[in-house]
Amino acid sequence: MDIFSTDTPIIGMVHLPPLPGAPGFDGDRDEVRRRLHQDAEALESGGVDGIMLENFGDAPFYPDRVPRHVVADVAALAATLREQVSVPFGVNILRNDVQSALGIAAATGGSFVRVNVHTGARLTDQGIIEGMAHETVRLREQLGADVSILADIDVKHSAPLAERAYDEEVAELVERGGADGIIVSGTGTGEAVDTTALEQVVAARDARGLDVPVLIGSGVTPETAPDLLSVADGAIVGTALKHGHETTNPVDEAAVERLVEAVR
């Protein structure tokens, strides 16, 4: 957590609109950049400790590697983000292209990446997605990249192929998979986390003596943040920071300020 200036960071989401090649792209690259700058400025001015850049508008998502043009567009946007903000930023390439996210972060000064399925496998709307920790961690070594890997456990918008105990999953993510942080989310985008599951993941982390943060990956609001962050070490927040609490809407700076005030 030494990436951030606080022990309980709030990471705000920049949900990119559809990029070139995606079904919803409107043909205006300048508008994509304008929206990026607008959202990033509102997040940093509102007081977040970090920013996550994600190709949220590109649904339906590729299950693994995205095309080269997507990597190029996100890399260009990440480079402009780095010039705009002073807080650390990270990259998530949906649905599970952490190799591209890692390459983009390494090339543009990103500090972290999010990976939905790092170890094991999950059933998703893209089919069965398998973790690629063996490739991801080796790629980071090859690039000499100082980029942290934040990995989901029981990631949202997915189901397990078989039920497993949290202590086993936590151990495999960190001890065998090399993750630098664990993310616990609700069942879908903007959905509240199951507090019992969160507590069990934290307990499993502590029982094994693992020195990694546990972050909340969805559903945090100004009302729930204080209690949740008395258990977790930080949060990635998107929907609650948008106008009208709609995930695809622009960031509402006043909403960011309310959340930051609630946890500080």
Side-chain angles (χ1 to χ4, degrees), residues 177-199:
D180 303 298
I182 302 169
I183 300 172
V184 182
S185 63
T187 57
T189 301
E191 296 295 326
V193 68
D194 182 331
T195 54
T196 300
L198 175 63
E199 290 168 353

Side-chain angles (χ1 to χ4, degrees), residues 2-263:
D2 56 0
I3 296 171
F4 304 102
S5 60
T6 175
D7 292 334
T8 54
I10 300 297
I11 301 170
M13 289 298 306
V14 170
H15 292 114
L16 292 171
L19 300 174
F25 179 58
D26 64 4
D28 191 346
R29 274 193 167 92
D30 289 338
E31 174 60 20
V32 174
R33 286 191 290 270
R34 187 200 65 79
R35 175 68 179 273
L36 165 68
H37 289 303
Q38 175 186 330
D39 284 353
E41 180 178 1
L43 287 169
E44 185 167 34
S45 297
V48 299
D49 306 294
I51 292 174
M52 178 85 75
L53 186 66
E54 180 181 87
N55 62 324
F56 184 81
D58 278 357
F61 302 117
Y62 292 90
D64 39 51
R65 301 295 173 86
V66 300
R68 294 178 179 87
H69 63 81
V70 176
V71 179
D73 273 309
V74 178
L77 293 167
T80 64
L81 178 64
R82 175 71 286 161
E83 295 299 316
Q84 179 184 356
V85 301
S86 59
V87 297
F89 77 92
V91 181
N92 186 25
I93 302 295
L94 299 169
R95 175 70 154 123
N96 205 53
D97 192 354
V98 66
Q99 286 79 19
S100 292
L102 184 60
I104 292 168
T108 61
S111 299
F112 54 94
V113 294
R114 180 177 186 173
V115 51
N116 288 180
V117 184
H118 186 55
T119 58
R122 302 284 294 183
L123 180 61
T124 74
D125 53 315
Q126 294 80 35
I128 295 174
I129 294 182
E130 299 182 21
M132 302 292 286
H134 59 291
E135 289 190 1
T136 303
V137 176
R138 285 177 172 83
L139 176 60
R140 180 171 62 175
E141 292 299 314
Q142 291 166 8
L143 296 176
D146 187 15
V147 176
S148 296
I149 298 169
L150 307 181
D152 278 271
I153 187 168
D154 291 353
V155 68
K156 56 191 174 182
H157 300 290
S158 75
L161 300 183
E163 297 293 340
R164 304 189 65 204
Y166 280 124
D167 60 340
E168 295 175 356
E169 291 194 69
V170 166
E172 290 183 357
L173 270 178
V174 179
E175 295 176 343
R176 291 164 64 88
D180 303 298
I182 302 169
I183 300 172
V184 182
S185 63
T187 57
T189 301
E191 296 295 326
V193 68
D194 182 331
T195 54
T196 300
L198 175 63
E199 290 168 353
Q200 289 176 348
V201 170
V202 171
R205 185 269 315 266
D206 293 345
R208 300 193 75 92
L210 301 174
D211 186 22
V212 297
V214 173
L215 307 175
I216 301 166
S218 71
V220 174
T221 69
E223 294 72 29
T224 63
D227 287 341
L228 289 172
L229 291 178
S230 69
V231 180
D233 302 301
I236 302 169
V237 189
T239 302
L241 306 182
K242 303 299 186 69
H243 285 282
H245 294 174
E246 289 290 337
T247 308
T248 55
N249 281 351
V251 171
D252 179 356
E253 186 175 333
V256 181
E257 292 173 348
R258 286 194 295 272
L259 179 69
V260 170
E261 182 179 357
V263 300

